[in-house]
Structure formats: structure tokens, C-alpha cells
Amino acid sequence: MASTNIYACESMTKTDTIKLRNRHIGKSCQLFYRSDPLKIIRGEGQYMFDEEGTRYLDCINNVAHVGHCHPKVVEAARAQIGLISTNNRFLHDELVKCAQKLTSKMPGDLSVCFFVNSGSEANDLALRLARYYTKQKDVITLDHAYHGHLTSVMEISPYKFNKPGGDPKPDFVHVASCPDTYRGRYNVKNCPDQDLCKLYTTEVDEIIKNIKSNGKGVAAFIAESLQSCGGQIIPPAGYFDSIYRSVREAGGVTIADEVQVGFGRVGTHYFAFETQHVIPDIVTVAKPMGNGHPVGAVVTTPKIAERFATSGVAYFNTYGGNPVSCAIANAVMDVIDEEKLQENALIVGQYLLENSLQLMKEFEMVGDVRGTGLFVGIELVKSKECRQAATAEANAIVDRMKNVHHILISSDGPDDNVLKLKPPMVFNIENAKEFLTAIRECLGQYQSTEKKSISAPQTNGVCNLPSNHKFTEKKEILVK
């Protein structure tokens, strides 16, 4: 007699869902809010709903770029999947229209597309293009960067390989400091009278010299245009312009990872690299492009694409560029334009940033507020003077925002003390007001609480390098 399957029902209780997940899903697949995970069953615009119908304001879901379940995106998917979904070895209009639409948003000579399924795949392919074009292997990346979960991009992601248990950094990967001017290696406190941009870009120049001195060459410099996992980092003006010049003079190519911040999120421009007035050789895009559907792309120049075509190995991706994915991406880009979501990101983002800056005046633990458009970070510290990371406080506030105010935010950065906001692009002024009211209550709650109840690790993120410090390339230490 067959055993009864207690899960074979139309809907499960949250407890049963957890039991089934624990039985069949790998333990390394972590959840948000692990002590009390959310079971989300529906989304609409900037809101998510749990199994009990509780509504949560979504401030972290940059994947649902034009809003959860946008009707135009849903209809585009429904209509195309009802016709055909096949690979891109057959001609179809959605593919070429998507490539035309995407490249029309790009500056310069960025006009050739390769379609993939994710940001990880996009960055993997970008490395292949760069290495074939330059005939070199060495890559320069930034500390705390995250470029995906494939082996090739884990190797260039210090955010991953520096974690306990991570694989050692390969010799062909070179790590420059993250250009964090608040608590980074060079910051406004320990280098008050120095050009921070130059200090950070000089590191890359020294890395290039070291690579050459070992008889090697530079394949690529890759960086997120704005670091998200690294703590919502806004590089100083001129940073990428200087590095791009140095890398190109060394024969390397430049890769802009726009997987987190592209498609109008910064408000002032369609892509975040444009805020630095540079044009990369290769751009990778994904998450917001599909509004939750797995689709991504690599955009490059005809020169790099044509060189890759001479490799003798055809590029083929079974699902990359399929008609359904491209129809969805086309709908997403249409909605951004039709609903003026880039303009919305600028207006609402300015309101959010200006009012968040007021929190610095009200609360000692708000050390820094930074951002552009709907990409904002609030860095929490023990005090403005010591700038020691308030990690436990940040984690407690994330939980309180969810449990008390039904607002979803996250924390990240090297010390997990930066509150991150990167909501769907339909986020409005009323949503910003709701967030600001709630975060003010939470900050007040924990600022007045005895520190004994919320103890953060005693680590000082402030670097006290002498002004005459000479950079030598970092040797990454793997903590076992």
C-alpha cells in the first residue's frame, strides 16, 4: 500500500513548506530572515504578500524592476509562450528587437549582444570575450565584489572567496581596494587632505605594473558600476575614467557589471557606469532585465565580437535569447520608458536620500548615507567618531522593520552594517515616507537600548595607514 503524501495538497501550511524544504533543498540555499522566514505567495507592484495575506513593502527586490507581476510583462510572457519558445538558432523577431532596443540604450560602440540566462552567465561570457580578445588571463577585480556563482566568476568575487570555507584566490586574480571613501582603506577620516580617488586608482596602476613585471598581461578589469553587496558603494568622481585609461594602455579590456544597478535605477542615467562618464568595452546585464524572469545579456563592441567569432568555437546557449525571455525583456524596457520609471527613480530617490541624510543629524549611529536614484545605503556605526561597525544593530533593525513595520530591507557590506534599499522602480513618495517613519522608530529603539543587549563584533573598520604608505598587492588570507 502506497504511503500517504501529506504534502500532496493544493496549498501547504508554512510549517509543512519548511519541513519539505528542509528535506529536499540543500542547506547552503539560505533564506532571508532565517529565524522566522517569510512565505511569500503573491506580489503586486512594490508589495509582497504572505500566506496569511499580510502585505509587506518591498525595499530590496531589484529583480522585480518594474514591479511584481506587472500586467504588461505578464501578458508578454503569456502571449509568447502560447506561440513558441525555442532556442535562438531559429530566426525570431523578439530576439533581434530585444538586441536593437538594448543597444539603443548604450553609448558609444556598444552594439553587439550575446544573450544568456543570468548575471553569472553574463560575467562568465564577458571573461571569455576579454581573454580571447587580449590573449591574456589575468583579471583585476575589487575587494568585496560579487560577480556570480559560477566557478569562473566566484574566482573573481572576493565577497565569496574571502568567506570562511571559500576557495583560495587564484594567482591570475588581482584584488584592488573597494573605493569606499567612508570606512574603506583610504577615507575622509584617515586621509583628510589627500585625493582619495587618486589613492584608490594608484592601487590599480601598481597591480598592472606587478602583472607586467612577472611577464604577463592584463585581460580585463571588472567592476560593478556601484557595489551592492560591498555596501552600496558610490565610487569617487573620476575613478573609472582613470582606471579605464590605465587598463586600456596595458592592453586589457574594461567590463562594467550592471547586473544590480542597470535599467534606469540610478535616475540620472539608464546605466550606472554613465554617471562616471565612461564607456566600457563590455557591459553585463541581467536581473532587472527580466523582472523576475531569468534573462541576461552581454553587450560589447563589433571589434571584440568579431575577434571572438574567429575562435572556431561557436557560442550557443539553449535558453539564452529564447522568444519568451526576449518578449519579457522587451516589455520591461517598454514599461520603463512608458511609465517614466527612470524619472521616478530620480525624483523619489532624491527625496529618499535627502530625508535619509537627516537621520545622520538625529542619530549618532547613522554614520553615513549615500546613494543615487533608488539605490541607497545607510551605514550604521557605534559612533561617528570611532566608525566601528554596528553589525548587530543593523541586523536587529532589519528584523524589526519586517516584524513590526512589515517593511523588507536587508543589510550587507564587509561588516554587514549597511542597510540597503534597492526597491522596485515603482516605489513612490508615499512608500519613501513609510520607510522613513519606520526606520526612524527603529533607530530610536536601538539607539536608546543598552548596548549589552545588542553586542556587535569588536572590529574597527577604519584603516590608519600613514600618508606615505606605498601600496603592495594584497595577499588574500583564507580563514579556515
Side-chain angles (χ1 to χ4, degrees), residues 1 30 41-42 96 99 111 122 160 213 220 236 319 343 379:
M1 183 176 179
Q30 297 180 346
I41 64 169
R42 186 169 69 87
V96 293
S111 59
K160 288 294 185 181
S213 69
Y319 296 110
E343 181 182 339
E379 183 149 4

Side-chain angles (χ1 to χ4, degrees), residues 216-284:
K216 299 178 181 179
V218 178
F221 167 80
I222 184 170
E224 300 160 88
S225 302
L226 304 172
Q227 269 200 357
S228 181
C229 292
Q232 306 294 86
I233 301 301
I234 312 294
Y239 175 76
F240 283 122
D241 183 53
S242 177
I243 290 175
Y244 279 20
R245 282 200 308 270
S246 297
V247 169
R248 285 166 174 159
E249 286 171 4
V253 301
T254 57
I255 304 171
D257 182 338
E258 291 274 330
V259 171
Q260 296 268 14
V261 293
F263 295 90
R265 176 163 296 279
V266 296
T268 54
H269 299 80
Y270 205 80
F271 293 105
F273 67 77
E274 296 177 282
T275 64
Q276 288 260 329
H277 308 293
V278 294
I279 301 176
D281 300 303
I282 302 171
V283 180
T284 59

Side-chain angles (χ1 to χ4, degrees), residues 70 72 331 333-341:
H70 192 287
K72 183 163 185 171
M333 287 186 278
D334 285 344
V335 170
I336 294 170
D337 292 341
E338 292 165 3
E339 298 186 7
K340 298 184 176 5
L341 294 183

